[in-house]
Amino acid sequence: MRYGHTPKVVMVTGASRFFGGNVIARLAQDQNIERILAVDTMTPSRELQRRMGRAEFVRADIRNPLIRKVIGGNEVDTVVHAAMVTHPPVGGGRAVMKDLNVLGAMQLFAVCQKSPSVRRVVVRSTSAVYGCSAKDPAKFTEEMSARIPPSGWFARDMIEIEGFVRGLARRRPDIAASILRLAPIVGPQLAGRGVQYLRSPVAPTVLGRDARLQLLHEEDAIAAMAHAARQAPGGTYNIAGDGAILLSQAVRRAGRIELPIPWLVFRTAGRALMGPIMRDFTSEQIDYFHFGCGLDTTRMRTELGFVPRWTTVQAFDDFIGGAASRPVIDPAWIDAAEHRLLGLLGPVREHTYE
């Protein structure tokens, strides 16, 4: 079961949401999987149910101990936990968010630990656990931790949840427990608010900084989770597209006008300039646009055996195209202007030193 044996009964949490629902849809295409249980407290939309195909929807709350009947009664051997929330739900505050994330995961893993049929657990995590600071390395490996502990609620929740996963792996070494730390996800359908701010005509940036961004296309995020459900060995894996893009380059490719402002202003007045989009930024997202975050994905390729189809730049460009945002300044016009300027300056002389 641990290295490549195809699971027979898979349970996926967060079935009514974009991410969980599409992971289910991807797994439903694998005829080697006998049954797929789609678990959530809310019924998925008709369109999502259609794409889920043969998956069986089960209305259940992972915070309720009765979830053990779903796992034990169906002899679930693989659990994919994708039901995390990144923001407090509407009508709820921080307490509700932590209850859904942390307490839900605690209960779910406790049931997995006591269920003899469970042999693999895959958990969706985030690169936000590394935090963002001026002390960060160029690339984080999975063994590294945040130089400065992240202050964002979602990142702190995920650090706790990852601790539960490692505890499960210690107590049940026969379970392949995998943590996938996903880079910020972008794409035409699911674009995190951390990149949506490029839809505004003016994009505030931090004066004197040019954050280095590494992104993950939404299709690759879904594919990585489905791949891990089928054959992931235990362990922690960084999941991100190849390469990186500077924030200034991202603003330019989106055809936006960059507005460099001091950091303190970026955190305060910057939100007002961006309207409702930036006002909803989490502290993780604010810090990300200050420092960025690079991930070492060697283990993703060599041990997990997953290779993203989209590079960081390709994922970003697909997001911009799918957002249907009209550029304020056409990037092609900027390129042409640069070429004309270089032509006026004349050829560049090369100097060779021996």
Side-chain angles (χ1 to χ4, degrees):
M1 179 71 187
R2 183 179 289 268
Y3 296 104
H5 180 79
T6 301
K8 299 302 179 183
V9 183
V10 181
M11 186 187 85
V12 182
T13 64
S16 68
R17 301 167 195 170
F18 175 89
F19 197 81
N22 280 280
V23 169
I24 294 168
R26 181 67 65 94
L27 291 173
Q29 298 172 11
D30 188 342
Q31 297 304 314
N32 292 316
I33 300 177
E34 295 177 0
R35 296 178 65 198
I36 302 171
L37 304 180
V39 174
D40 208 325
T41 57
M42 297 178 61
T43 304
S45 66
R46 288 186 179 181
E47 173 60 22
L48 201 51
Q49 288 185 62
R50 183 188 66 78
R51 285 189 279 116
M52 287 180 185
R54 61 189 178 92
E56 307 164 39
F57 176 69
V58 179
R59 186 185 297 276
D61 190 336
I62 62 173
R63 296 170 293 176
N64 192 315
L66 293 178
I67 191 68
R68 68 178 182 273
K69 292 186 177 181
V70 179
I71 295 177
N74 294 283
E75 296 186 343
V76 171
D77 55 50
T78 301
V79 174
V80 179
H81 185 34
M84 294 77 174
V85 295
T86 59
H87 293 73
V90 178
R94 167 57 180 159
V96 175
M97 177 181 177
K98 185 161 187 175
D99 185 61
L100 291 170
N101 285 342
V102 178
L103 297 183
M106 183 187 300
Q107 178 62 46
L108 177 64
F109 299 150
V111 172
C112 290
Q113 179 183 333
K114 297 176 182 178
S115 301
S117 63
V118 175
R119 288 293 180 269
R120 177 175 291 129
V121 173
V122 179
V123 178
R124 172 195 174 189
S125 187
T126 172
S127 62
V129 299
Y130 293 120
C132 295
S133 75
K135 299 180 180 180
D136 289 349
K139 289 187 176 182
F140 279 99
T141 64
E142 289 83 353
E143 292 80 9
M144 295 178 179
S145 58
R147 296 297 191 267
I148 297 178
S151 60
W153 291 341
F154 180 53
R156 286 155 56 187
D157 284 353
M158 292 313 306
I159 289 173
E160 285 194 64
I161 292 172
E162 287 193 6
F164 298 155
V165 178
R166 288 187 286 270
L168 171 65
R170 288 193 300 270
R171 289 185 286 271
R172 282 285 304 274
D174 59 316
I175 292 180
S178 303
I179 299 169
L180 272 56
R181 291 175 177 165
L182 307 181
I185 303 171
V186 296
Q189 298 185 67
L190 179 66
R193 292 177 179 176
V195 181
Q196 279 186 349
Y197 96 115
L198 290 174
R199 293 181 181 179
S200 173
V202 178
T205 58
V206 180
L207 182 65
R209 302 287 304 186
D210 199 359
R212 187 171 180 269
L213 314 179
Q214 193 169 4
L215 308 173
L216 179 66
H217 194 280
E218 60 191 30
E219 291 185 6
D220 282 331
I222 293 166
M225 291 292 292
H227 174 90
R230 287 190 291 261
Q231 60 189 60
T236 303
Y237 305 94
N238 291 332
I239 310 294
D242 287 345
I245 183 171
L246 296 176
L247 181 56
S248 60
Q249 295 173 327
V251 172
R252 171 180 166 177
R253 296 180 80 91
R256 295 311 184 232
I257 299 174
E258 183 178 4
L259 177 63
I261 55 179
W263 168 238
L264 292 178
V265 178
F266 182 83
R267 291 182 63 93
T268 55
R271 296 193 178 195
L273 288 173
M274 293 303 297
I277 295 176
M278 197 165 171
R279 281 201 300 269
D280 290 338
F281 270 17
T282 63
S283 59
E284 294 106 332
Q285 291 167 329
I286 290 290
D287 289 338
Y288 189 68
F289 284 106
H290 188 188
F291 301 106
C293 181
L295 303 178
D296 185 305
T297 57
T298 302
R299 184 178 292 179
M300 173 190 75
R301 295 172 177 275
T302 60
E303 297 183 26
L304 184 60
F306 178 74
V307 180
R309 293 180 55 193
W310 305 69
T311 66
T312 288
V313 172
Q314 289 171 340
F316 179 80
D317 286 346
D318 195 48
F319 155 72
I320 293 299
S325 54
R326 184 177 181 180
V328 177
I329 301 177
D330 188 348
W333 180 88
I334 299 176
D335 290 336
E338 284 187 349
H339 286 305
R340 286 196 297 270
L341 178 59
L342 291 175
L344 292 174
L345 295 175
V348 177
R349 295 182 180 179
E350 295 185 359
H351 298 274
T352 302
Y353 297 89
E354 297 182 353

